[in-house]
Amino acid sequence: GTNGDNCLTGMAFANDWQSALAICDGSSWGGHDDWRLPDEYELFSLVDFGKSTTPFIDTIAFPAMPSQSFWTSSTYTNNEDYAWSVDFYSGALGWGGKTNGYYALCVRGAPTPRAAHYVLVATTDYPTVTDVATSLQWQGCPNGLYGTSCALGALSTRTFSEALADCESSYWAGQGDWRLPNIKELLTIAEHNTFNPAIDAAVFPAVPTTSLQFFWSSTSVDDYPGYAHGVYFNDGTTTAEAKANTEGYGYARCVRDAP
């Protein structure tokens, strides 16, 4: 809805999901006709978690952005009347009813592939999963569990500080450079085409199936440093929780840069 220098001509407007899809599909912006509504991973990649003021996006590259929710092209698996959205006021990935009025930011280029891209090594009690798409290597079990099917040990919740320390002190599969993933890294293993858990359970077993499935990331909320972002792996949404929360929050899965 806006154009011109610094996007100050016109007015940004909200649309329902079907209208947002049609607007991007019909756009000829910049002389190109292959625009589309981005999927949730593409749009979430624009969130700037280093900012202390909203909107949480690089406003030099994306001026005049409303601090509001923006539609993605992805339908919510558990209810086809809902679709995924990114809130640039909080930086959260969530979902809303398709009749809601959210904003749209179109993209072009080939869609980001989401085909199977994991290499699982589970020949020892300390399985690893390498993601060839991101060049990250993950611990195959949530922190506290081990074994080829993650059936040994005890899964327990941790505060943010405990999750950080557990990963940094971990010596898993003969490696000592594990760390707690940042929020964008953690979201890459969420699978939104499945529900409860929203992850590939064949390569990442033993994700809890209780109502609490929050996993910490290392990303603090810049303007509220007592909070950190994480992913709920029941449906793959992101949110921020209090770092000192000991009432059942949260779990940890460690990561390292793939060799």
Side-chain angles (χ1 to χ4, degrees), residues 226-253:
Y227 286 74
H229 295 276
V231 175
Y232 275 98
F233 278 95
N234 61 321
D235 64 357
T237 56
T238 72
T239 191
E241 299 290 351
K243 292 179 177 180
N245 194 332
T246 58
E247 298 177 0
Y249 290 88
Y251 300 104
R253 185 184 300 276

Side-chain angles (χ1 to χ4, degrees), residues 32-253:
H32 300 284
D33 61 2
D34 56 348
W35 296 98
R36 58 181 174 81
L37 204 59
D39 69 25
E40 68 272 34
Y41 301 97
E42 294 166 334
L43 189 59
F44 191 75
S45 73
L46 299 183
V47 180
D48 185 347
F49 289 100
K51 290 190 64 180
S52 58
T53 57
T54 63
F56 291 114
I57 193 170
D58 184 341
T59 51
I60 301 300
F62 299 95
M65 280 282 291
S67 298
Q68 301 288 344
S69 291
F70 280 68
W71 284 120
T72 80
S73 61
S74 303
T75 293
Y76 179 52
T77 295
N78 200 43
N79 189 329
E80 64 180 13
D81 293 329
Y82 291 75
W84 288 94
S85 62
V86 174
D87 182 1
F88 285 98
Y89 177 80
S90 64
L93 173 69
W95 38 265
K98 290 180 177 179
T99 58
N100 290 354
Y102 294 164
Y103 293 82
L105 186 67
C106 308
V107 71
R108 58 188 292 262
T112 303
R114 292 297 301 173
H117 44 77
Y118 298 125
V119 178
L120 169 64
V121 178
T123 56
T124 72
D125 280 341
Y126 304 95
T128 63
V129 179
T130 299
D131 187 340
V132 298
T134 61
S135 296
L136 295 173
Q137 187 174 71
W138 297 86
Q139 291 183 355
C141 304
N143 197 259
L145 297 178
Y146 66 99
T148 55
S149 59
C150 304
L152 303 176
L155 183 65
S156 61
T157 56
R158 289 152 167 77
T159 65
F160 172 79
S161 296
E162 290 170 341
L164 273 178
D166 285 348
C167 285
E168 290 174 359
S169 63
S170 178
Y171 192 75
W172 183 277
Q175 304 297 328
D177 55 349
W178 298 98
R179 56 182 171 81
L180 196 63
N182 66 45
I183 186 59
K184 291 188 177 181
E185 292 171 331
L186 186 59
L187 187 66
T188 63
I189 61 172
E191 297 290 344
H192 292 139
N193 60 354
T194 185
F195 181 80
N196 199 25
I199 195 170
D200 187 339
V203 295
F204 295 107
V207 172
T209 56
T210 61
S211 58
L212 172 65
Q213 293 164 294
F214 179 80
F215 278 69
W216 290 110
S217 85
S218 61
T219 305
S220 296
V221 178
D222 194 78
D223 52 342
Y224 291 96
Y227 286 74
H229 295 276
V231 175
Y232 275 98
F233 278 95
N234 61 321
D235 64 357
T237 56
T238 72
T239 191
E241 299 290 351
K243 292 179 177 180
N245 194 332
T246 58
E247 298 177 0
Y249 290 88
Y251 300 104
R253 185 184 300 276

